[in-house]
Amino acid sequence: MSVPAGTAPLAALSAAGVSVWLDDLSRELLAGGELENLITDEHVVGVTTNPTIFASALSRGKRYNEQLRRLGIEGSSVDEAVFALTTDDVRDGCDALAPVFERTGGIDGRVSIEVDPRMAQDADATAAMARRLWEVVDRTNLFIKIPATRKGLKAVTAVIAEGISVNVTLIFSLERYREVMDAYQSGLEQAREAGRDLADIHSVASLFVSRVDTEVDHRLNAIGTNEAQVLKGKAAIANARLAYQTYEQTLAQPRWQHLAAAGARVQRPLWASTGVKDPSYPDTMYVSELVIAGTVNTMPGTTLKAFADHGTLPAHAPTADDFAAAAAHLEALQDAGVDFEDVTDTLEREGLAKFEDSWRELGESVQREMHAEAANTDGPGAGPVSDAESAGLLAIYLNDHYAGATGGLELFRRAAKATPNSADGAALADLAKQVEEDRDALARIMTDLGVTTSQPKVAMGWLAEKAGRLKPNGHILSRSPLSDLLETESMLLGVLGKTACWRTLRILAESDERLSADRLDTLLERAEQQSDTLEELRSAAVSRTLLPRPTGTLTKGNM
């Protein structure tokens, strides 16, 4: 149903029993007063962070520079500096949300900070870092985020038993969600045995939503049938609804009832990754479709703004019929050839890898800034450039990328046409469409910045791709067994270059109002997904082309 007239959508969402959290934190938000405004005016009652958010925060403005340079002078390591920055921000966030924490009796007013993702497969190291974060931040409204790997779940039980509140994150599958709830209850049971007050221990379980559709839709596109296309865009909501059904079933069990009688708090389901990745889907669908009292929805800023502007609420919370339909949808995916267990396993691996990449990027940014003054010399080219010089360099930079995008688009189209009836061909055709949209997005950005497209450079980019067909792949004009591998690697390099361009523009967006930071964040995330797809295609090409066949394998030549 639509939001009642005169009622702001976020107010209606909050009144429906959903806790509105923001999936973002930075010193710009804190010092600029924006977080305080969101709490006061937009019903935001919690904040989540992760390595990607902190890496992005460091690129915004200059508020970290002084502290980083001081830490560099003091001889702090990169890990020590990252720890100091993130815990300071989260502590300030906890203080900003303290009134909400008091008002809600500790239910909301929470800020989450994640353990180092590089420790995700080491239960003891994860638990030790959780304890350190809890001690250093020193705020009762803190949540320690621990990834729901199997080793991570052992750490969850350990720290819950010690009275530390936990946000269990990176949950995709129903099986893993059951294990998360089991780990929480095991920790509570140990805490009770140790004489702790269970009412002081809180937890949420973060179920990732939109990434499920991204991966499933990718596989459905590879299947390519009309029946497969009908199934797109529905798996994430179905999976989330079944997770909530699992949660309700767990609360009805005697084990939980005994803990509840002892004062235990429920581990609320939290819908994470609720920003829409496919622009053809409604931009608020992962909020509107999951309005369930007693849950949390943590939204990136773009999604929060979109829902505040035009969000709607459903007529009712999910019913037994909705749960049955969700189960039927996952069965239909299986029948269509999508292995959903493999989907969730893949998403967990990729999620950890992305967080590790972001952590590494954060560390590299911290290291550069810690030693920025030492790197500034009076040598040639080290001085600042004028505004006119900067604008000229930016025009050259963007035109070079636009020319590369033109050549890259030709390569994607040609690779897709080479295998039109295969799963790889369908995936490449979808990528070619996205690459064209990305090139158009770059053209719009150039227009917004007053940069004229250099047609000679565009032509050279097109010609360069044509000349690239003469690569030494064993054949001059026709395709060879190496063509798929070499082309996939070239496309992957092109996407990595495009990602670097988006990151550059994202930094500029912090001080240039002509650039949309939210749009660039979306383009960055899509580029990362494109890289993941191309890496899968590249690995498959390696297996087809370079791995020796088992002895005795029949080929057309020896049949």
Side-chain angles (χ1 to χ4, degrees), residues 71-318:
L71 290 168
I73 293 170
E74 293 172 355
S76 298
S77 69
V78 170
D79 283 347
E80 289 170 342
V82 168
F83 188 89
L85 259 63
T86 56
T87 52
D88 283 354
D89 278 9
V90 167
R91 187 183 302 106
D92 289 344
C94 286
D95 289 344
L97 282 154
V100 177
F101 179 77
E102 296 297 330
R103 186 178 73 243
T104 62
I107 301 299
D108 285 311
R110 298 275 175 173
V111 182
S112 298
I113 186 170
E114 188 148 359
V115 298
D116 185 336
R118 296 171 297 182
M119 300 176 179
Q121 303 302 343
D122 187 331
D124 291 339
T126 295
M129 187 170 188
R131 296 184 192 102
R132 186 178 175 217
L133 288 167
W134 185 257
E135 179 181 351
V136 171
V137 175
D138 191 25
R139 296 294 186 271
T140 54
N141 55 333
L142 178 69
F143 268 141
I144 306 298
K145 288 181 77 174
I146 298 178
T149 62
R150 286 196 165 84
K151 295 293 180 64
L153 294 183
K154 293 181 180 179
V156 169
T157 295
V159 299
I160 287 290
E162 296 174 25
I164 296 173
S165 295
V166 175
N167 175 345
V168 189
T169 187
L170 215 65
I171 306 169
F172 295 98
S173 74
L174 298 180
E175 178 184 0
R176 183 56 52 83
Y177 182 37
R178 294 186 186 97
E179 294 171 352
V180 167
M181 291 188 285
D182 177 72
Y184 177 55
Q185 292 177 93
S186 295
L188 289 174
E189 288 162 349
Q190 293 177 27
R192 181 179 57 187
E193 291 172 5
R196 297 187 183 280
D197 186 349
L198 299 190
D200 293 337
I201 305 172
H202 292 251
S203 183
V204 292
S206 295
L207 294 116
F208 280 49
V209 185
S210 66
R211 294 188 192 181
V212 174
D213 273 342
T214 299
E215 180 65 20
V216 169
D217 287 1
H218 165 68
R219 299 187 184 206
L220 291 171
N221 283 333
I223 293 170
T225 63
N226 291 334
E227 292 80 4
Q229 299 307 301
V230 173
L231 298 173
K232 289 172 59 177
K234 302 174 184 176
I237 298 299
N239 192 53
R241 286 178 174 172
L242 291 175
Y244 185 79
Q245 183 184 43
T246 302
Y247 164 75
E248 286 191 316
Q249 292 167 349
T250 298
L251 296 188
Q253 297 299 314
R255 182 187 185 189
W256 173 253
Q257 293 297 321
H258 291 150
L259 286 168
R265 308 274 191 166
V266 296
Q267 183 185 49
R268 290 187 295 168
L270 181 151
W271 313 124
S273 182
T274 55
V276 173
K277 307 299 188 294
D278 188 328
S280 68
Y281 296 155
D283 56 2
T284 61
M285 65 182 285
Y286 299 122
V287 182
S288 295
E289 296 295 326
L290 293 172
V291 178
I292 306 173
T295 63
V296 180
N297 197 306
T298 186
M299 311 175 210
T302 50
T303 304
L304 186 73
K305 291 177 184 176
F307 196 88
D309 179 67
H310 52 266
T312 60
L313 273 61
H316 52 75

Side-chain angles (χ1 to χ4, degrees), residues 43-64:
H43 304 273
V44 168
V45 293
V47 167
T48 48
T49 69
N50 59 46
T52 303
I53 286 171
F54 280 125
S56 176
L58 199 64
S59 71
R60 306 179 196 174
K62 306 294 183 182
R63 296 185 186 273
Y64 296 92

Side-chain angles (χ1 to χ4, degrees), residues 230-513:
V230 173
L231 298 173
K232 289 172 59 177
K234 302 174 184 176
I237 298 299
N239 192 53
R241 286 178 174 172
L242 291 175
Y244 185 79
Q245 183 184 43
T246 302
Y247 164 75
E248 286 191 316
Q249 292 167 349
T250 298
L251 296 188
Q253 297 299 314
R255 182 187 185 189
W256 173 253
Q257 293 297 321
H258 291 150
L259 286 168
R265 308 274 191 166
V266 296
Q267 183 185 49
R268 290 187 295 168
L270 181 151
W271 313 124
S273 182
T274 55
V276 173
K277 307 299 188 294
D278 188 328
S280 68
Y281 296 155
D283 56 2
T284 61
M285 65 182 285
Y286 299 122
V287 182
S288 295
E289 296 295 326
L290 293 172
V291 178
I292 306 173
T295 63
V296 180
N297 197 306
T298 186
M299 311 175 210
T302 50
T303 304
L304 186 73
K305 291 177 184 176
F307 196 88
D309 179 67
H310 52 266
T312 60
L313 273 61
H316 52 75
T319 64
D321 289 342
D322 294 318
F323 295 141
H329 183 76
L330 295 191
E331 290 178 6
L333 289 175
Q334 199 74 27
D335 292 342
V338 175
D339 184 341
F340 198 71
E341 182 178 353
D342 185 66
V343 166
T344 55
D345 287 347
T346 297
L347 288 170
E348 181 179 302
R349 289 195 305 272
E350 290 181 350
L352 283 173
K354 287 177 180 177
F355 279 172
E356 288 179 10
D357 288 345
S358 295
W359 195 267
R360 182 166 53 253
E361 179 186 340
L362 174 60
E364 291 170 354
S365 298
V366 164
Q367 185 172 37
R368 284 194 301 270
E369 193 57 45
M370 285 172 70
H371 306 292
E373 289 188 1
N376 288 336
T377 68
D378 294 328
V385 297
S386 67
D387 290 346
E389 289 174 314
S390 177
L393 292 171
L394 180 60
I396 294 171
Y397 177 81
L398 293 177
N399 268 295
D400 285 347
H401 272 284
Y402 189 80
T406 299
L409 178 57
E410 289 293 319
L411 176 57
F412 273 92
R413 287 171 172 169
R414 175 160 59 86
K417 289 179 181 177
T419 52
N421 298 318
S422 69
D424 286 1
L428 287 168
D430 183 56
L431 285 173
K433 179 182 176 183
Q434 293 182 29
V435 169
E436 183 175 14
E437 292 171 353
D438 290 345
R439 188 189 65 168
D440 292 344
L442 178 57
R444 288 193 294 272
I445 289 171
M446 293 170 71
T447 299
D448 292 341
L449 294 173
V451 174
T452 302
T453 304
S454 173
Q455 292 305 317
K457 278 196 174 183
V458 172
M460 287 302 295
W462 183 85
L463 287 171
E465 192 284 323
K466 301 302 182 186
R469 299 187 187 191
L470 302 179
K471 292 190 298 287
N473 61 3
H475 294 221
I476 297 298
L477 296 177
S478 62
R479 295 182 68 81
S480 84
L482 281 174
S483 294
D484 288 349
L485 177 56
L486 291 172
E487 287 179 349
T488 304
E489 290 182 345
S490 295
M491 289 184 283
L492 182 56
L493 288 172
V495 170
L496 292 175
K498 174 174 62 180
T499 303
C501 178
W502 296 148
R503 290 190 186 281
T504 296
L505 291 170
R506 181 62 178 80
I507 293 171
L508 297 180
E510 296 303 325
S511 56
D512 194 327
E513 295 181 352

